[in-house]
Amino acid sequence: MDFQNGEILYFDKPYGCTSFDVVGRVRWQLCRTLGIRKLKVGHAGTLDPLATGVLIVCTGRATKQIEELQYGTKEYIATIRLGATTPSFDLEKPIDAEYPTEHITQDMVEEVLTHFKGTIEQIPPSFSACKINGKRAYKIARKGADVGLKPKTLQIDGIELLECKLPDITIRIVCSKGTYIRALARDIGYALNSGGHLTALRRTRVGNVRVEDCMNPEKFPEWLKNQDITIHDNNE
């Protein structure tokens, strides 16, 4: 494998670490193995720290393909807790408000989900990597300032209810680049005249890459030992 010229790797990002953490580990291990000080490494499509699943990592000249790879259709399995909200719309922040759920039924959930299929407008979470005047939204939000993000047009190709154990529901979503599943949890809760936040999220597919095709980053060093690796004399 020629990591300096460019390779594309598929990882199953673990819970609790950032996408940048995975990239950093991969870069460090590759530089150590190749005996070089620098190597371009990047990822296609950020996953929140509390999410797991498919993370595509590109090395060397393959980093030029990141933009193209990011446009691959995404598939997620998400668990939403109805009846409560958090500022981050997931478990990163504590519950800030509670709402009734006694009126919610499975039939109601299934009917509401149909309204989220197709082209939708979505306001990204304040605690996100979106940029406002060159600054990340989450940095502004953590200072308690109003972020004021504008709605974005997204495409939801498929959304279905997998499990309904109220107040928890588990859904499968097939969607376009830029979709925030945390924001979807917020909007589904609101549409049910309640609240909602994400309690679990797993990205199961990006384009044709499925989570079953991905390796645990912890196994990367051992996997690397078994590869036929090209090392360049000019240490690109």
Side-chain angles (χ1 to χ4, degrees):
M1 302 190 79
D2 193 336
F3 294 102
Q4 288 165 274
N5 190 47
E7 297 287 351
I8 300 176
L9 305 168
Y10 309 133
F11 291 98
D12 182 353
K13 190 191 86 64
Y15 181 89
C17 71
T18 69
S19 300
F20 296 105
D21 288 337
V22 175
V23 168
R25 291 177 195 173
V26 170
R27 181 189 294 113
W28 181 86
Q29 190 65 50
L30 286 174
C31 286
R32 182 183 181 188
T33 300
L34 297 170
I36 58 177
R37 295 181 64 184
K38 294 182 180 180
L39 178 66
K40 279 188 177 182
V41 182
H43 68 275
T46 302
L47 274 177
D48 290 332
L50 304 187
T52 66
V54 179
L55 184 69
I56 299 177
V57 174
C58 300
T59 76
R61 295 187 180 96
T63 54
K64 295 178 180 179
Q65 300 180 47
I66 285 177
E67 187 66 25
E68 177 186 348
L69 292 168
Q70 287 185 152
Y71 279 94
T73 299
K74 316 290 194 308
E75 180 183 79
Y76 296 90
I77 304 296
T79 299
I80 300 169
R81 171 71 52 84
L82 300 172
T85 58
T86 75
S88 58
F89 311 141
D90 64 4
L91 296 176
E92 181 183 345
K93 297 292 181 179
I95 291 172
D96 60 358
E98 296 186 353
Y99 302 85
T101 59
E102 294 81 5
H103 64 287
I104 301 174
T105 65
Q106 181 170 332
D107 287 343
M108 187 185 298
V109 173
E110 290 177 339
E111 197 277 330
V112 160
L113 291 182
T114 64
H115 297 288
F116 289 92
K117 186 175 180 179
T119 302
I120 67 168
E121 295 287 310
Q122 183 187 80
I123 299 175
S126 297
F127 289 87
S128 68
C130 292
K131 286 189 175 181
I132 304 292
N133 297 324
K135 295 183 179 179
R136 298 293 184 184
Y138 65 84
K139 292 185 177 180
I140 300 173
R142 283 171 182 161
K143 293 179 179 179
D146 181 34
V147 177
L149 290 167
K150 296 180 180 179
K152 292 185 177 182
T153 302
L154 306 168
Q155 182 68 29
I156 306 292
D157 295 321
I159 184 167
E160 65 172 318
L161 182 65
L162 299 180
E163 188 173 63
C164 186
K165 292 184 177 180
L166 296 169
D168 295 327
I169 61 172
T170 300
I171 61 177
R172 183 181 74 92
I173 309 108
V174 179
C175 59
S176 65
K177 173 186 181 292
T179 303
Y180 281 93
I181 309 302
R182 288 182 287 134
L184 194 61
R186 169 202 64 196
D187 296 341
I188 289 171
Y190 181 81
L192 288 165
N193 295 314
S194 184
H197 66 281
L198 206 61
T199 58
L201 181 65
R202 186 157 176 76
R203 186 156 69 191
T204 52
R205 179 168 65 87
V206 176
N208 294 323
V209 181
R210 297 189 174 275
V211 72
E212 294 84 3
D213 307 320
C214 301
M215 81 172 90
N216 186 320
E218 297 296 328
K219 296 183 178 179
F220 180 63
E222 191 62 34
W223 175 86
L224 201 56
K225 291 178 183 178
N226 298 318
Q227 306 307 307
D228 184 8
I229 299 173
T230 299
I231 298 179
H232 296 258
D233 292 334
N234 57 1
N235 287 345
E236 294 180 52

